[in-house]
Amino acid sequence: MRISRRARFENTETIAPHHFSVLARLEKSTATARELAEHECVSAPSMSRTIGALVERGYIARTDDPDDGRQTILSLTPEGRSTLRQTRRSRDEWMLVRLGDLTDEECEVLDRARDILARVAAR
């Protein structure tokens, strides 16, 4: 968890971690504000502020729901996809620098730990 948290906060010049999370969710599929708030476990007003900031920056787009005029569908824009790629690349580079200092033995231990953690997470 500490490594994940550190990696998330390592590259915040381009996009805040909670903004990145919303973009990553929209990369998978479109969503409503309510669905995003539920997925991110935040209040509706908090998600509205996040969405407003992401729309303003051109990372997500709003379109009217064709089935329910009260709803707005949110989707990722090309700029949002580019920002996701850039942020992921930066995080990967950060991690590669740290892994580059490890010994072969330490890398083997991490490789075994990865398999064990994958099994634990699959349960």
Side-chain angles (χ1 to χ4, degrees), residues 59-110:
Y59 296 157
I60 63 175
R62 293 179 173 132
T63 55
D64 293 333
D65 186 329
D67 299 324
D68 183 349
R70 301 167 295 169
Q71 296 271 7
T72 301
I73 303 295
L74 303 164
S75 60
L76 201 56
T77 65
E79 182 65 27
R81 285 186 197 290
S82 175
T83 299
L84 272 175
R85 279 193 304 274
Q86 177 185 355
T87 303
R88 285 181 177 135
R89 189 172 29 256
S90 176
R91 289 177 180 183
D92 288 349
E93 289 169 2
W94 176 86
M95 182 60 79
L96 284 172
V97 166
R98 273 123 195 101
L99 293 176
D101 293 337
L102 299 180
T103 66
D104 289 344
E105 182 181 327
E106 289 169 326
C107 288
E108 289 174 19
V109 169
L110 285 177

Side-chain angles (χ1 to χ4, degrees), residues 22-23 25 32 34 47 51 57 73 78-79 82 89-90 94 108 113-114:
V22 170
L23 295 182
R25 171 76 168 93
T32 65
R34 191 181 103 224
M47 184 53 66
I51 290 167
R57 293 178 83 175
I73 303 295
E79 182 65 27
S82 175
R89 189 172 29 256
S90 176
W94 176 86
E108 289 174 19
R114 181 197 63 216

